[in-house]
Amino acid sequence: MLQTVWMIFFSLFVFDIALKDKLGSYVNPKYDWLVLGGCMALFVLGIVILVLKRWKEEPAGHDHGGGVFGPVFWTAVIYVPLVLGLVMGTGALSTRGARQSRMEPGIAPAAASRAGGEAAGGETSDWGFDDWFYALAEDPEPDHYQGKKAIIEGAVMSVPEAPEDCFILNRYLILCCAADAVPVGFPVRVKEGEKMPADDIWVRVSGTMTPEEINGRRMVVLEAETIEEVETPDDPYIY
Amino acid sequence: MVIARDFSIILLSILLEAIPFLLIGVVVSAVLSVYVSDDFVVKWFPAKSLAGLFYALVMGFLFPVCECGNIPVARRLLIKGVEPAPVVTFLLAAPVLNPLVIIVTVAAFPGQPEILILRLVFTVMISLAVGAILFKVKKEDIVLPFETITGDGGCHGEEDGDSVSHKHVCVRHEHYRGLDGRRRFMEFLFLIRDEFFMMLRLLVLGTIIAASFRTIFPQNLVTSLGSGQVVSILTMMLLAFLVSMCSNVDAFFAMAFAGTFTAGSIVTFLVFGPMVDIKALVMMTSAFRMKAIIWISVLVALMSFLLGLLANYMIL
């Protein structure tokens, strides 16, 4: 009974996430149809089985055993994700994992083949994080971005290797779902005298791109003019 | 709090991607169990020739169920008198060489066709090699006595109450043959539910392990474990053995390690897991001698490891 109820609860939980437009926190939007289709099937199956159990006798011989751990253990196991999801709510992956593994933010190799953004040139102030990401993947020469205006949103990530007045404006690139997330980001230089924002806060940075060499690597640095805190977006990753 | 949130996001993201495929696999398996006889696999299987090895590979595509559904077919092949060598090739190859597993691997590793190609090629190589080696071994040293295989008509490996038992695999087409349409459809629905939860609990347990690796374990440790050419492969083989995840969705588990573990170790997981894990070994005891199971496992493990190393050098 608890298993059949799980089918219905889990599908309703996923429908709720989708209605709040937060599915992008978990999976690449190109797979939304698959996730929702699967949950719809699960929901219908759960309802049909509940009705059948209510009106008809369940066929004999169906296994409800749980082996050495017992059915209670396994029922508890399948409810773990549901309970955790309800308690923790939706959101974006923090930068903690990237900071701990010292993953160096930069252009991920996978991006090279997907690069479809405009290369440097023209008006850039309306570019989003992903436009900058794909443009830099296509044309990584920092000098080509000298003086370009940028307004970009991302999560703050401190990196010990970066200069003291810099943080990384981070997002994750996800190809399938949040489990394959790879951090990518731009170094941001905070204005002299300004306070460094805390890790994992989402900010909108307005400023100017400047080529610079950091730790022997040439890259573009976003010289911040303003940094304002913003809500975590519904689609916090690059897909 | 941050760790718990990240853990929850990764856990749910894998489940959201995997559940539709798990459901498709279970429905296909239930259709085959309730409505389709596996006679066509057994009937045309060449009993005593090397051609059986290649026929075994093709059967994977025609009988697309994961490792749990293949054991009863293997038992029937042995009862029919087919040599153990091609039966073992079928058992090792079929869980990977099927359309659903191919689709899932592509979905989990978009833009990385080398993962799928190496998974298929290595699976074919290992299953053919083990089959070819077993041609040199006496039949009675590999399979249990005939009366043991035919005795209960089911899977005695599942009677011991093992945690990963798959009672449902014993209940196949013959059981449903005499039922009327409505009763058969009810059996079909309840079989889908039972199989789904049997697989789901292992999927959730495996996903909890994967999410722990990404969040709870210190990431610098995981990165150093995953970047070692040899250690990464051994770690993924151990995980594959313990997690015992269904081959229909194991690519989503592996995906969580793709950023930190070597490509060769990911491929090894995807090749080794469907062939040798706790669940498969328990089920194999219903038809094969323990000594043979151990030797087959060792052979598969050695070949998977070496091919994983090769993959590391090929992809890097």
Side-chain angles (χ1 to χ4, degrees), chain A residues 181-202:
Chain A
V182 177
V184 288
F186 307 95
V188 174
R189 172 160 289 113
V190 179
K191 251 163 108 173
E192 205 176 324
E194 293 269 326
K195 209 175 121 194
M196 188 73 80
D199 277 330
D200 286 322
I201 287 177
W202 277 77

Side-chain angles (χ1 to χ4, degrees), chain A residues 56 58 62 64 94 96 179, chain B residues 6 182 193-194 214-215:
Chain A
K56 304 263 186 191
E58 181 172 347
H62 286 270
H64 300 286
S94 77
R96 181 182 166 275
Chain B
D6 287 354
R182 282 178 68 176
R193 183 201 60 185
D194 290 350
R214 288 293 303 268
T215 54

Side-chain angles (χ1 to χ4, degrees), chain B residues 164-211:
Chain B
V164 288
S165 70
H166 289 247
K167 202 171 182 175
H168 62 287
V169 299
C170 309
V171 185
R172 298 201 69 81
H173 186 68
E174 292 69 26
H175 172 79
Y176 305 107
R177 203 168 268 173
L179 301 176
D180 63 52
R182 282 178 68 176
R183 196 76 190 161
R184 197 185 262 208
F185 184 67
M186 276 185 71
E187 291 274 3
F188 171 68
L189 289 179
F190 282 102
L191 188 62
I192 289 175
R193 183 201 60 185
D194 290 350
E195 289 207 25
F196 177 76
F197 282 103
M198 204 88 70
M199 305 293 175
L200 181 75
R201 58 201 196 185
L202 287 175
L203 174 67
V204 173
L205 206 58
T207 308
I208 287 173
I209 294 172

